[in-house]
Amino acid sequence: MSDIKKGTQFMRGEVKWASVLTPNTTFEPTYQASIYNPIVVNNFGEVIDSDSESIISSFESRGFKHSVKTDKESNEKFLFFKRKARVNRPQKDNEGNFLKDETGKWIMEETDNDVPLLKDKDNNDIDIAIGNGSDVIVMYKEWETTNPKFGKFKGLDLAGLQVVQLQEYNPDVGFSTVSMAEVEEF
């Protein structure tokens, strides 16, 4: 992946419910990816830690309670990476200085957030829908904030996703024809 910044980390695994270039709008619009059987890799894809269970336990013990989730069907734990589609950022003047109000606080404005990178295995930009079960490498950063009212929060910011092996997304998967005999047996 390109544009690697300080604090950037990489995780490889099986992706489900990826919304990388177009945000998921079910609740608050977010870019997101759920990674099952995560393994820690470097930016070249070389394995650093392949013990998925201890990787997930590490995130749990470090307080990433909103980033470690449990699949309702399989009861399997996975890591949830996301990036809000809209964020509040300080306004800047023409010279790049933050604008402040009369009390000295920054003047904030809601703006579009950066769209995560989406690359193929050869590091070329791609624009495809990613099917569940695709083998991917996630580029992410850990973040932490404190809210005076609700306490500390930690999360995993989805900076990019590289598709190592694509499982094609099929939006037409639905019900198939069922005979009356099969319904009666049920």
Side-chain angles (χ1 to χ4, degrees), residues 2 6 17 19 27 53 78 94 98 115 117 119 137 142 181 186:
S2 59
K6 186 177 180 184
W17 317 118
S19 298
F27 301 105
E53 195 172 305
F78 62 92
N94 292 339
F98 294 127
V115 176
L117 300 171
K119 305 282 187 173
I137 297 175
E142 296 180 8
F186 183 69

Side-chain angles (χ1 to χ4, degrees), residues 1-5 8-12 43 81 83 116-117 119 136-141 156-162:
M1 294 250 163
S2 59
D3 298 333
I4 298 171
K5 297 177 183 162
T8 301
Q9 299 178 60
F10 300 86
M11 190 76 60
R12 185 172 180 170
N43 62 321
F81 300 83
R83 174 177 280 183
L117 300 171
K119 305 282 187 173
V136 301
I137 297 175
V138 175
M139 182 170 62
Y140 70 98
K141 283 188 173 187
L156 303 173
D157 177 48
L158 176 62
L161 192 136
Q162 183 176 34

Side-chain angles (χ1 to χ4, degrees), residues 122-162:
D122 297 319
N123 211 27
N124 299 308
D125 292 335
I126 54 176
D127 183 0
I128 58 169
I130 302 158
N132 290 347
S134 295
D135 181 15
V136 301
I137 297 175
V138 175
M139 182 170 62
Y140 70 98
K141 283 188 173 187
E142 296 180 8
W143 60 265
E144 180 178 340
T145 189
T146 302
N147 179 307
K149 199 174 191 179
F150 301 107
K152 280 188 176 183
F153 291 92
K154 292 183 175 187
L156 303 173
D157 177 48
L158 176 62
L161 192 136
Q162 183 176 34

